[in-house]
Amino acid sequence: MYRNIIDYSVETTVLHYDYKIIYINKSGADFFRTSKEALMDVDVLSVFQPSSREMIKKRIQECMAGNEMAPSIEEKVIRADGTTVETELYCRPVTFGDRKVIQTVFRDISIRKETEKILNNREKLASIGQIAAGIAHEVKNPLTAVKGFLQLLKESHSHPYLQTMEIELDKALLTMQNLLQVSKPDLQEEPLVSIDFCKELESLMLLFQDKLYNVEVEMDLRDRETRVIGKKNLFLKAFFNLIKNALEAISEKGKIRITHYCENQWVHIQITDTGVGIPKEKLNMLGTPFFSSKMDGTGLGLTQVYTTIHEHGGHISVDSKCGEGTTFYIRLPVAG
Ligand SMILES: Nc1ncnc2c1ncn2[C@@H]1O[C@H](COP(=O)(O)OP(=O)(O)OP(=O)(O)O)[C@@H](O)[C@H]1O
Ligand SMILES: [Mg+2]
């Protein structure tokens, strides 16, 4: 009966003796992406990364010496096809036939880990946004005061530098104003309205007509009747920023594809370009204020995009390959 329960369990269950696998259930073989037969007699330590093997060996020895279940641990496991997966491990001694052996259960926690990562990144972005907005606010006030005195000075004295000073000051004030706007979209007092994204995306594309002679645009807009509730101007700005980035990523000829569809109560919008792509090590910088690889970029475009999507309970992720292109995946809750 025990064997039956384990055989049909959805969790990867392995029995091993003297570090050799003597039994694995069907789910386990699927999990390791191979067959049950191929795993027989395999060294159980070999599924762990080399740096963890000594620690796992000690754990198995301790488990074998006692009768208790060992506290669970999290470890990366290597599958037959060479891919790795985050798992949570439970091991305990059991009797199999007339032998005392170790039963190890592997639970796939990759989705949980991925979610934790997304949440951490979101919190990180939110707190960077808060700090940036705080600094912008503090710096803006004294700069405005300086601008006032500069104007007074200009009235009583004339000096060629005064004009330059005012121009530079205006640039600084504009940066502060932009930063404040993009990192605190909740300050924008805009009413919530029902948004028809298919219509809005089509209108937005018209704004880029003059830049489209070398770029082919493909719009695949399905489920046109779906609506999202939100601040329309913020969204228009966000999608403008995304399309602008996609266009700027294409140096000569290229293609931009915009898709819209509804699935499981989410509106999915994807923007794909065949542009330069983003290096892997830069991907987690996206959304951070002032991160830009462009000569004249402010690096605030994606900050505005990320904050807007998150403020509306949505998700955004990106997939990119250098030299091939980039896709931004956006998911927003459908209006109930
Ligand atoms: N579609 C894309 N393809 C390639 N790189 C991109 C893409 N979108 C964003 N990036 C990268 O992310 C950086 C940050 O983008 P963001 O829109 O925040 O700022 P920016 O475009 O540099 O400046 P601004 O939006 O103020 O003009 C860009 O400089 C670029 O390196
Ligand atoms: Mg941009």
Side-chain angles (χ1 to χ4, degrees), residues 192-253:
L192 297 176
V193 293
S194 162
I195 305 167
D196 173 352
F197 270 110
C198 294
K199 198 181 100 207
E200 301 303 341
L201 287 167
E202 279 167 344
S203 316
L204 264 181
M205 279 325 287
L206 298 177
L207 299 177
F208 293 98
Q209 279 310 318
D210 59 324
K211 305 226 163 41
L212 293 179
Y213 41 82
N214 272 331
V215 180
E216 187 191 332
V217 178
E218 191 185 320
M219 309 275 273
D220 180 6
L221 308 175
R222 279 178 248 171
D223 305 318
R224 299 191 71 103
E225 67 291 349
T226 28
R227 298 285 181 272
V228 169
I229 302 287
K231 296 181 180 172
K232 191 156 115 185
N233 284 321
L234 282 184
F235 273 127
L236 292 184
K237 228 180 189 174
F239 284 101
F240 180 92
N241 282 328
L242 286 169
I243 298 167
K244 180 169 161 276
N245 282 347
L247 276 166
E248 286 167 352
I250 298 172
S251 53
E252 286 173 17
K253 271 195 170 327

Side-chain angles (χ1 to χ4, degrees), residues 63-304:
C63 199
M64 197 66 181
N67 287 315
E68 299 284 302
M69 181 153 109
S72 73
I73 51 166
E74 291 178 5
E75 273 300 317
K76 270 202 178 116
V77 160
I78 309 162
R79 295 189 278 212
D81 60 0
T83 55
T84 56
V85 59
E86 300 263 8
T87 62
E88 190 168 39
L89 295 172
Y90 302 85
C91 82
R92 66 178 184 127
V94 295
T95 306
F96 186 67
D98 50 5
R99 272 192 298 189
K100 185 179 182 186
V101 303
I102 300 293
Q103 172 187 313
T104 301
V105 173
F106 295 77
R107 185 171 292 162
D108 183 346
I109 53 165
S110 47
I111 295 177
R112 193 181 86 199
K113 286 276 167 193
E114 199 49 39
T115 315
E116 277 172 9
K117 222 165 86 189
I118 293 170
L119 286 177
N120 280 341
N121 199 32
R122 214 161 130 168
E123 273 169 21
K124 190 182 84 191
L125 277 179
S127 51
I128 291 173
Q130 294 294 321
I131 295 169
I135 294 173
H137 196 256
E138 291 307 311
V139 175
K140 226 180 103 203
N141 292 342
L143 284 185
T144 313
V146 173
K147 189 178 146 96
F149 285 114
L150 198 62
Q151 269 160 354
L152 286 179
L153 208 59
K154 260 172 71 186
E155 281 169 20
S156 54
H157 298 72
S158 82
H159 192 288
Y161 288 172
L162 291 178
Q163 183 68 14
T164 319
M165 283 170 77
E166 199 177 7
I167 292 171
E168 293 303 314
L169 204 53
D170 279 340
K171 278 191 206 160
L173 276 166
L174 188 68
T175 306
M176 292 303 144
Q177 185 55 35
N178 285 343
L179 179 59
L180 209 54
Q181 249 179 31
V182 300
S183 45
K184 281 232 157 192
D186 45 335
L187 285 184
Q188 238 90 348
E189 287 199 15
E190 216 197 308
L192 297 176
V193 293
S194 162
I195 305 167
D196 173 352
F197 270 110
C198 294
K199 198 181 100 207
E200 301 303 341
L201 287 167
E202 279 167 344
S203 316
L204 264 181
M205 279 325 287
L206 298 177
L207 299 177
F208 293 98
Q209 279 310 318
D210 59 324
K211 305 226 163 41
L212 293 179
Y213 41 82
N214 272 331
V215 180
E216 187 191 332
V217 178
E218 191 185 320
M219 309 275 273
D220 180 6
L221 308 175
R222 279 178 248 171
D223 305 318
R224 299 191 71 103
E225 67 291 349
T226 28
R227 298 285 181 272
V228 169
I229 302 287
K231 296 181 180 172
K232 191 156 115 185
N233 284 321
L234 282 184
F235 273 127
L236 292 184
K237 228 180 189 174
F239 284 101
F240 180 92
N241 282 328
L242 286 169
I243 298 167
K244 180 169 161 276
N245 282 347
L247 276 166
E248 286 167 352
I250 298 172
S251 53
E252 286 173 17
K253 271 195 170 327
K255 194 168 158 184
I256 293 180
R257 190 180 146 80
I258 300 179
T259 30
H260 172 285
Y261 62 89
C262 175
E263 200 177 273
N264 300 330
Q265 295 303 302
W266 292 95
V267 168
H268 296 257
I269 299 173
Q270 289 157 16
I271 298 175
T272 303
D273 65 67
T274 57
V276 285
I278 304 162
K280 215 169 170 205
E281 68 277 7
K282 298 270 164 61
L283 282 176
N284 61 358
M285 293 296 289
L286 299 183
T288 312
F290 302 119
F291 166 69
S292 175
S293 63
K294 299 173 192 166
M295 284 284 283
D296 54 352
T298 64
L300 292 177
L302 284 181
T303 308
Q304 193 272 340

Side-chain angles (χ1 to χ4, degrees), residues 16-22 43-44 60 64 100-102:
H16 45 97
Y17 179 75
D18 206 11
Y19 313 110
K20 295 267 175 291
I21 296 179
I22 55 170
D43 181 353
V44 74
I60 293 175
M64 197 66 181
K100 185 179 182 186
V101 303
I102 300 293

